[in-house]
């Protein structure tokens, strides 16, 4: 992973201890790297990133259940790869499914020794410049952009075979990047 300066990437993986409808859930959160700091997002970049990641996960699950699909289960390994890549895109000043060195999702999974999935999909989202930093607006924009996409993002969200997911959010200065990975074992 690249050295990250002034960057916080929060990764959320909600490990469900009982059925998803239950209120009893354990949460695993990891800060990838960087310094937590105040900004237009509020007092803490870490807290903001965490709220965005959690809310995207919940909102995607609402979309799935509204379509009669099973909710996603959180997977910490997918969350860590997603968060790491979100941070890499910020620190490397790029955006896309291929890193400047040509690495794709499969290469990133192999580097992280995340090999247990038979199928994986990736949704990416970014915003920069004049961003409304209310986290609900960020979540709404990211999810709507994915659902309205003609490039496979909606299909990944609503694929009944993809039952595991992880979300990573990274922010720095006036830019935010969200990566969500979906998987099937």
């Amino acid at each position: 992973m690249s050295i990250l300066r002034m960057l916080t990437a929060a990764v959320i993986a909600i490990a469900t201890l009982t059925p998803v409808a239950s209120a009893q859930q354990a949460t695993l959160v990891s800060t990838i790297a960087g310094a937590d700091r105040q900004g237009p997002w509020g007092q803490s970049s870490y807290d903001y990133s965490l709220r965005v990641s959690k809310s995207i996960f919940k909102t995607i699950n609402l979309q799935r259940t509204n379509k009669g699909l099973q909710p996603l289960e959180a997977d910490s390994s997918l969350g860590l790869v997603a968060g790491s890549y979100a941070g890499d895109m910020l620190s490397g000043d790029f955006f896309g499914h291929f890193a400047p060195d040509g690495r794709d999702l499969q290469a990133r999974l192999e580097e992280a020794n995340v090999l247990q999935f038979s199928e994986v999909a990736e949704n990416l989202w970014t915003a920069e410049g004049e961003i409304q930093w209310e986290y609900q607006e960020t979540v709404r924009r990211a999810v709507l952009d994915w659902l309205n996409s003609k490039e496979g993002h909606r299909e990944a969200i609503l694929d009944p075979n993809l039952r595991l997911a992880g979300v990573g959010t990274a922010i720095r200065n006036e830019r935010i990047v969200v990566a969500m990975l979906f998987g099937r074992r």
Side-chain angles (χ1 to χ4, degrees):
M1 181 169 74
S2 303
I3 296 174
L4 308 175
R5 292 191 177 103
M6 299 301 290
L7 167 68
T8 301
V11 178
I12 179 66
I14 303 169
T16 305
L17 300 175
T18 56
V20 174
S22 170
Q24 295 179 347
Q25 294 180 337
T27 303
L28 169 67
V29 179
S30 172
T31 299
I32 300 300
D36 188 22
R37 67 183 186 89
Q38 183 175 353
W41 47 81
Q43 289 295 105
S44 169
S45 54
Y46 174 83
D47 289 345
Y48 181 84
S49 297
L50 176 61
R51 274 194 304 235
V52 168
S53 294
K54 279 184 172 181
S55 294
I56 284 177
F57 193 90
K58 288 178 183 178
T59 303
I60 294 297
N61 269 339
L62 283 173
Q63 292 295 319
R64 287 176 63 92
T65 56
N66 286 342
K67 298 288 185 186
L69 300 171
Q70 292 292 315
L72 297 164
E73 295 177 35
D75 183 275
S76 60
S77 63
L78 291 175
L80 288 171
V81 173
S84 177
Y85 193 55
D88 284 351
M89 285 187 280
L90 276 181
S91 65
D93 197 26
F94 71 94
F95 181 78
H97 295 286
F98 292 89
D101 63 6
R103 287 179 305 128
D104 63 2
L105 175 58
Q106 188 60 42
R108 287 183 265 121
L109 291 168
E110 289 171 7
E111 284 175 7
N113 201 29
V114 177
L115 308 172
Q116 67 269 33
F117 298 97
S118 61
E119 183 181 0
V120 182
E122 178 179 64
N123 282 3
L124 304 175
W125 182 84
T126 191
E128 60 186 306
E130 293 188 28
I131 300 170
Q132 292 183 0
W133 286 99
E134 295 82 19
Y135 82 93
Q136 300 95 330
E137 177 61 18
T138 299
V139 170
R140 185 189 73 73
R141 283 186 55 203
V143 172
L144 281 177
D145 284 352
W146 286 336
L147 290 172
N148 293 327
S149 170
K150 305 230 186 301
E151 298 175 5
H153 300 97
R154 178 184 185 83
E155 289 79 5
I157 290 169
L158 300 176
D159 187 329
N161 296 315
L162 300 174
R163 297 286 315 281
L164 302 166
V167 179
T169 298
I171 59 174
R172 180 177 61 194
N173 300 332
E174 294 294 318
R175 184 171 178 215
I176 183 169
V177 176
V178 177
M180 185 167 190
L181 299 182
F182 304 85
R184 175 174 63 139
R185 290 185 197 207

